[in-house]
Amino acid sequence: MAAPGAGQVQEDLHKVKMENINLKGAVEAVDISDLRTAPERTELGLKQQVEMDIKIMLVPENVENKAALKHQNDETRLPLITKKRSAPLCSQKTGKGHPVSTLCAFPAFPSTDSPLPQLGEDTPKGALSLTGQRLILPAAKVTLQAPPGVPKAAPSREFHRQAQKSAGGQISSRLDPGNTDPPTFPNSKEAIYGTSSSSKGNIAPPPPSSSGVSTRTSKPVRTNPAQQGESEGQIPSQTQPPQAPPRQSSQDPRSDWDVVVCHGTADQKAPGFLALKQHHPLSWGSIVAFLEHAEKLLKDSSVPLATISGKKLARVASDFELDENPPESAILSVLENQSAVEKILNRPGRRSRGRGGYSQHIREHIPDLAVQQNMQMGRLCDILDANVDVIYICPLALSEELLHYYTRLLGLQAAVRSGNPQARADLRARFRILTPEAIDSFPQHHTCLATQLKHSPRTVQMIQRLIRSRDAYVVGGVPHADELAVADMLDVPLLGPGPQLAQLYSTKSGTKRIFASAGVPTPPGEWDLHSREQVSRVCPGVLIYWVIGALSRLVVDNVEVQRWVLKMNDECGGNGTAYCDVISHLECSHWLQKEWQSHGPERWSKSQARELALVRISQELPGLLAQHVQPVNEKRFPTWEKFLQTFLTQGGVIEAFPLSSTVTNLTVDLLIEPTGEMSIVSSGDQLHAEGPFRSSGTTIPQRSVDPALLNSLCWKIGDACRSKGVLGYLSVDFVAFTHPQTMEQQVWATDLELCYSDQLALTQLVLYLTDGNVDCGSSPLEAPPGSQAVKSQRIQREGTKPPALGSPRCAVASTQLRHSNLAGTSYSLLLQSCKARGVGFDLQEKQGTVFLLYEDQKRHRLGMITIGEDLQGVLLTFARNLFIIHQEISAPNMQGETNFKMAIQDIEAILGVTAENKLKWEEEQPWEADALKE
């Protein structure tokens, strides 16, 4: 239950959020009437008159827009640009969020203005990198807190406009039942990820040879010890706001320019900050850029208090370009309390902390967040290894019916191995499904599973009893600081990257930096298009110019590309994606194609025609995008304006869509062990039941790309991740297509997620039900032969052909099937109806269909896996199952809302099956199978 005053807090936060994302009313209009004839006078240093023309054409010119930019109370006014000024100043007030009253009884959601660590070559380039990524929350507390239902005082904080980063995901622990010795982990209570301060990474040492924890060949080992408390005198109590140290009086007015930075945030309303801005108007852009880097360093290192000398700051900042990342030594040189800060920086593990993960704003737009976090029930199948037990943390309270279903499902393994349907085992002692008691404590906060577990002391204590005197480790979801807190409570390591490192490389721009470092093919595009907050202090509206200019250059330099895709940095599941067929809607398209072909690729890049094309395209793009951009999530972004507003807030990438009408998306899962050993653990071709940019399922294993080529690309990406300190599970998305000119297959790397994927969980269940194994090096999935195959082999032995050692298997699986009519049918009735129609699993043949059931309240989503010997037959059976389920739960006048139809259409496209052939599915022999019984 929320504490008193919580409603007002939420209302205040909403107001701050709405005010901070509004560009209007923040600055006065800028007179650009003479800008066309003076391109050298802008801070961006545009080198050509053409690019200046682009800016002029894109500036809003109507009176209403200019009036909306004026604000009579704005403290910083933009000077008019005249012909006599050679370097116009573009600055903007950088205000902070409204102070919030004391919070009670809720998990801490601190301000999110801490920047990301940027490592060497990963630092974004260009004028848009002035402030760095500011998305990581302060470090999570690593002590078990009192239950959140009891109100307690917390320090007042100021909330800024940046989105809060957090993550949902599953938390699993793996145990060694055969080892009764106490764990031999060091006293450290930090995760086992590598440090982010070295481009080569920091891989943990090899585990003890006696380890039997993981299903793999090694066991996680801890590195990067974290500090439990703040024992040194320089760190004030977290319950008292740090106070600035007193300064000696001086006749030099510059002594009053000092800037106080508390917990990584400069007080921008303090007299010292305002005086510094007043005395250095011409170099203020450089000072702000340098200050942002200083804030980033201090926030990343959890420095509670630092004082920056304004005199030193002004002098040192002038030595760096706007887009240059100053070294740590330069930042330390401007600090008044340099020695105290250096002591904090040199502590082990200080820079390993941060929030990471999906922000609360993003989680708010994930439908059925709890259900989405419960779609990896296949993790339970890790008990296939006799040395591994599993504790599965579930974000929903499962009924006895569902618990019984999974008990019977996991008990099938003995029957699968023996081929005897009666030989089922009770494996309840090998796995536990636990639900944190805090799952309903914060219904309005959209908290992730790790946060819920952190605030569930009874569940934590139960886990502690279960893992006592046993080796264990945590496999989380999307990395989040509260996972570290839970691992600390349990005194076990966490397999995965640190939250900050994961956030840096899981964004769309961070993904591109990994791929560039790996040297793998990627779509033509541009990234590090940073958020509005990061450039508004230099010049309002610069990001809009940059986006239009970037897309214009991409179109001009890649005339053959028909479709361009825009992806927001932090969104997932295609929610932050939009696309536009630019070439087909350009009025100058015919002229552009003609000029491009007449010049040829080599001459085109330096031709005057290209410069003219750049101007013409830039003129057309604003109106073209407003009319023809298609957001993937139309409910959330019904118009281009809505999409653009969020895109400017988050930043993102622009990339080309493949040059073919036939495109295959595929996903590969890798594991980087703490020892540095890498392996490919899963692969699959994607299914798309809700459009080409949303994966709704997979066919296991992948069959669209040559395994040798795919392995080569994966090893390069894995090496790049490992060199940056990333370890644990990671999932890489590729796109494969045939180039229309060369008629050769091309493979592009398109996305990267540093977490355990749904596809991997599905693969684990497939292997469990078939007693099979998959060699992702050659992409086959094989299982022991079924009864029919054994009979066939007996006939072969009587002849001349040698018997096969294994029987090939493939699977079609989905976790995203949705039908509103499922809510009107109980699971037991649904399974009985499916059994009557021949939908079930044959234990002797090791093929058929099983279901994944997530919850029994709404019951409108489910997962399904169909296993067989050939892909075509499995796809047909999967589509037939969907058709049968729809018939069983629907009436002619109540068809319901579903994605079944789109899933069937996608399968039709894969197989080339016509609408007439679909009618034959009902006439086929029903699958003779042993259905799962409730």
Side-chain angles (χ1 to χ4, degrees):
M1 176 178 293
Q8 181 62 40
V9 170
Q10 294 301 314
E11 181 179 355
D12 291 342
L13 291 178
H14 179 70
K15 292 179 179 178
V16 172
K17 179 178 178 183
M18 294 304 295
E19 291 170 6
N20 283 337
I21 65 174
N22 188 3
L23 279 178
K24 297 182 179 179
V27 295
E28 288 194 352
V30 179
D31 186 356
I32 61 168
S33 58
D34 297 326
L35 194 60
R36 180 183 298 274
T37 60
E40 72 280 2
R41 294 193 295 265
T42 175
E43 275 188 358
L44 299 180
L46 299 179
K47 297 181 180 180
Q48 300 183 17
Q49 181 69 37
V50 173
E51 296 190 8
M52 182 56 65
D53 290 340
I54 295 173
K55 274 197 167 186
I56 296 174
M57 290 181 289
L58 295 177
V59 171
E61 296 179 349
N62 63 68
V63 176
E64 293 182 359
N65 286 349
K66 289 189 176 182
L69 290 174
K70 296 183 179 180
H71 196 294
Q72 60 182 1
N73 294 325
D74 193 37
E75 296 181 7
T76 303
R77 295 178 178 271
L78 297 173
L80 295 178
I81 300 175
T82 65
K83 295 184 178 180
K84 295 182 180 181
R85 295 181 64 93
S86 59
L89 175 65
C90 277
S91 62
Q92 182 178 350
K93 177 180 176 181
T94 55
K96 300 191 298 182
H98 295 265
V100 181
S101 58
T102 301
L103 301 180
C104 300
F106 291 93
F109 289 101
S111 65
T112 60
D113 53 356
S114 65
L116 286 170
Q118 309 240 331
L119 312 180
E121 71 276 7
D122 299 319
T123 303
K125 302 299 189 291
L128 296 178
S129 63
L130 299 181
T131 62
Q133 297 285 353
R134 305 185 57 181
L135 299 173
I136 300 297
L137 292 173
K141 296 181 180 179
V142 293
T143 56
L144 181 59
Q145 298 181 351
V150 181
K152 63 177 182 178
S156 175
R157 299 180 182 270
E158 291 187 350
F159 288 71
H160 293 254
R161 72 175 85 184
Q162 281 81 358
Q164 297 172 345
K165 299 304 294 183
S166 180
Q170 311 303 324
I171 298 180
S172 299
S173 294
R174 300 183 179 185
L175 315 174
D176 182 1
N179 186 358
T180 59
D181 297 330
T184 59
F185 298 124
N187 292 330
S188 161
K189 294 186 177 182
E190 189 57 83
I192 60 175
Y193 52 83
T195 179
S196 62
S197 61
S198 170
S199 62
K200 294 183 180 180
N202 184 10
I203 303 303
S209 58
S210 61
S211 169
V213 174
S214 175
T215 55
R216 315 300 168 199
T217 58
S218 61
K219 181 176 78 67
V221 180
R222 294 169 174 235
T223 62
N224 294 348
Q227 299 297 325
Q228 294 262 350
E230 313 293 0
S231 59
E232 296 193 18
Q234 291 84 357
I235 302 181
S237 170
Q238 293 298 322
T239 60
Q240 297 293 335
Q243 301 296 325
R247 292 196 303 270
Q248 298 294 331
S249 61
S250 172
Q251 298 298 327
D252 189 352
R254 290 177 291 183
S255 63
D256 295 329
W257 298 351
D258 292 353
V259 178
V260 177
V261 181
C262 295
H263 296 295
T265 302
D267 186 354
Q268 299 171 6
K269 293 183 179 180
F273 185 91
L274 298 176
L276 181 65
K277 180 164 58 175
Q278 180 180 0
H279 285 81
H280 294 277
L282 297 180
S283 59
W284 185 242
S286 298
I287 293 175
V288 169
F290 190 95
L291 182 59
E292 289 294 338
H293 289 292
E295 287 180 312
K296 178 175 74 69
L297 174 64
L298 298 172
K299 174 66 79 173
D300 288 349
S301 303
S302 300
V303 177
L305 181 65
T307 303
I308 297 178
S309 169
K311 177 181 177 181
K312 296 178 181 178
L313 175 61
R315 184 180 67 251
V316 175
S318 62
D319 296 334
F320 295 91
E321 299 292 338
L322 289 178
D323 59 349
E324 186 175 356
N325 189 15
E328 181 179 300
S329 60
I331 296 175
L332 292 175
S333 69
V334 305
L335 299 180
E336 295 284 3
N337 59 336
Q338 179 178 349
S339 60
V341 172
E342 284 181 333
K343 290 181 180 180
I344 299 176
L345 296 181
N346 292 330
R347 292 181 186 175
R350 293 296 297 183
R351 304 191 197 191
S352 301
R353 295 171 148 191
R355 283 278 173 182
Y358 296 136
S359 69
Q360 182 174 354
H361 175 72
I362 292 176
R363 295 198 306 270
E364 288 174 353
H365 292 93
I366 298 178
D368 300 313
L369 177 62
V371 177
Q372 292 289 340
Q373 293 182 106
N374 198 38
M375 290 185 173
Q376 296 185 1
M377 299 293 288
R379 292 191 185 208
L380 292 168
C381 297
D382 284 348
I383 64 173
L384 184 63
D385 187 328
N387 293 323
V388 176
D389 291 352
V390 174
I391 300 175
Y392 180 87
I393 309 301
C394 181
L396 296 162
L398 301 185
S399 65
E400 289 299 325
E401 181 184 20
L402 286 187
L403 292 175
H404 180 65
Y405 175 83
Y406 282 106
T407 299
R408 292 182 60 83
L409 178 64
L410 295 174
L412 294 178
Q413 224 283 318
V416 169
R417 285 182 172 178
S418 65
N420 180 9
Q422 305 303 321
R424 306 190 184 193
D426 186 352
L427 301 179
R428 282 178 289 184
R430 299 285 313 283
F431 70 93
R432 290 293 185 94
I433 300 177
L434 302 180
T435 301
E437 64 266 24
I439 58 171
D440 297 322
S441 298
F442 317 108
Q444 303 302 321
H445 284 267
H446 302 276
T447 53
C448 68
L449 182 58
T451 301
Q452 294 169 354
L453 180 58
K454 176 185 174 182
H455 293 278
S456 300
R458 291 199 302 272
T459 305
V460 172
Q461 291 171 5
M462 183 179 297
I463 298 173
Q464 289 173 332
R465 290 195 298 269
L466 291 171
I467 67 175
R468 185 174 297 142
S469 300
R470 309 174 78 179
D471 289 347
Y473 64 97
V474 176
V475 182
V478 178
H480 183 268
D482 283 344
E483 288 183 350
L484 302 185
V486 170
D488 181 82
M489 295 173 186
L490 300 175
D491 195 22
V492 296
L494 170 68
L495 178 61
Q500 285 184 328
L501 203 61
Q503 173 59 30
L504 177 61
Y505 296 121
S506 289
T507 66
K508 297 299 186 289
S509 295
T511 292
K512 300 300 182 183
R513 292 196 290 275
I514 286 284
F515 294 156
S517 176
V520 297
T522 57
E526 290 201 21
W527 54 92
D528 280 331
L529 299 178
H530 285 174
S531 67
R532 178 173 57 207
E533 289 83 355
Q534 296 173 298
V535 295
S536 60
R537 298 182 183 182
V538 180
C539 189
V542 167
L543 184 58
I544 299 178
Y545 300 147
W546 185 268
V547 171
I548 297 296
L551 182 55
S552 300
R553 290 190 299 272
L554 289 172
V555 172
V556 168
D557 294 334
N558 302 272
V559 180
E560 70 278 13
V561 175
Q562 299 293 316
R563 175 173 293 180
W564 292 94
V565 183
L566 294 89
K567 297 180 179 179
M568 298 178 189
N569 262 337
D570 303 317
E571 297 289 341
C572 60
N575 287 319
T577 301
Y579 60 92
C580 183
D581 297 330
V582 176
I583 289 293
S584 61
H585 294 107
L586 280 175
E587 294 181 0
C588 64
S589 176
H590 179 72
W591 170 85
L592 176 63
Q593 297 277 359
K594 181 179 178 181
E595 290 292 329
W596 177 67
Q597 292 176 0
S598 63
H599 284 81
E602 295 182 359
R603 295 172 50 206
W604 173 251
S605 60
K606 299 180 180 180
S607 67
Q608 292 294 326
R610 179 189 177 278
E611 302 302 324
L612 180 58
L614 188 62
V615 174
R616 295 183 64 175
I617 292 174
S618 299
Q619 289 176 324
E620 291 190 43
L621 273 183
L624 186 151
L625 294 175
Q627 186 175 359
H628 298 291
V629 161
Q630 180 66 47
V632 173
N633 188 339
E634 294 184 282
K635 291 184 179 180
R636 182 178 174 188
F637 304 113
T639 63
W640 160 244
E641 289 74 17
K642 292 286 187 181
F643 180 90
L644 181 61
Q645 181 182 13
T646 307
F647 186 90
L648 296 182
T649 302
Q650 292 188 19
V653 304
I654 303 175
E655 66 182 28
F657 191 79
L659 317 176
S660 174
S661 58
T662 304
V663 177
T664 301
N665 300 88
L666 59 149
T667 301
V668 180
D669 293 290
L670 294 87
L671 171 62
I672 303 178
E673 300 272 7
T675 59
E677 180 183 355
M678 289 193 306
S679 58
I680 300 177
V681 292
S682 176
S683 68
D685 295 323
Q686 295 180 11
L687 297 176
H688 298 88
E690 298 187 52
F693 296 97
R694 283 182 169 175
S695 174
S696 58
T698 181
T699 62
I700 305 171
Q702 73 84 22
R703 299 190 177 187
S704 57
V705 176
D706 177 59
L709 172 61
L710 193 60
N711 287 358
S712 174
L713 298 176
C714 289
W715 291 132
K716 291 180 180 179
I717 295 172
D719 283 336
C721 290
R722 182 172 56 185
S723 70
K724 299 180 185 301
V726 174
L727 58 83
Y729 292 98
L730 55 130
S731 182
V732 187
D733 287 347
F734 297 92
V735 60
F737 63 98
T738 301
H739 196 283
Q741 297 178 355
T742 64
M743 299 307 295
E744 295 181 355
Q745 187 184 60
Q746 291 193 359
V747 181
W748 291 342
T750 57
D751 206 355
L752 172 69
E753 293 186 359
L754 305 182
C755 60
Y756 196 106
S757 72
D758 289 356
Q759 175 179 277
L760 180 54
L762 292 170
T763 300
Q764 294 296 93
L765 183 53
V766 170
L767 298 178
Y768 192 89
L769 292 173
T770 61
D771 194 26
N773 61 82
V774 58
D775 180 4
C776 293
S778 56
S779 289
L781 171 61
E782 292 185 345
S787 59
Q788 295 296 328
V790 171
K791 186 182 299 183
S792 176
Q793 289 181 8
R794 188 180 302 114
I795 298 176
Q796 289 180 5
R797 284 196 295 270
E798 296 174 357
T800 58
K801 294 183 180 180
L805 298 179
S807 177
R809 288 290 186 276
C810 60
V812 178
S814 174
T815 61
Q816 301 290 336
L817 299 176
R818 173 175 45 82
H819 203 305
S820 59
N821 290 351
L822 286 169
T825 306
S826 66
Y827 283 137
S828 57
L829 180 59
L830 174 65
L831 294 175
Q832 291 175 5
S833 300
C834 288
K835 177 184 178 182
R837 298 289 297 271
V839 180
F841 191 79
D842 190 322
L843 295 173
Q844 294 180 321
E845 298 301 326
K846 301 178 179 61
Q847 53 186 311
T849 298
V850 295
F851 296 100
L852 289 169
L853 310 178
Y854 304 131
E855 49 86 30
D856 50 7
Q857 298 298 320
K858 295 182 178 180
R859 295 196 311 275
H860 61 293
R861 292 176 180 266
L862 56 77
M864 184 170 70
I865 300 177
T866 300
I867 304 171
E869 295 183 352
D870 66 278
L871 181 60
Q872 182 177 8
V874 174
L875 284 168
L876 287 170
T877 302
F878 189 90
R880 175 180 176 272
N881 292 344
L882 294 178
F883 186 76
I884 289 175
I885 295 173
H886 176 73
Q887 280 189 323
E888 292 295 328
I889 64 177
S890 302
N893 59 344
M894 191 177 65
Q895 294 295 297
E897 182 181 349
T898 180
N899 61 0
F900 284 18
K901 182 178 181 180
M902 293 187 67
I904 293 175
Q905 290 174 347
D906 187 45
I907 292 175
E908 287 179 353
I910 295 174
L911 296 175
V913 178
T914 62
E916 292 78 7
N917 290 337
K918 184 173 65 175
L919 299 176
K920 297 180 181 179
W921 296 346
E922 298 179 62
E923 303 172 2
E924 295 177 356
Q925 292 291 331
W927 198 305
E928 298 294 334
D930 293 328
L932 288 172
K933 299 178 181 179
E934 284 298 298

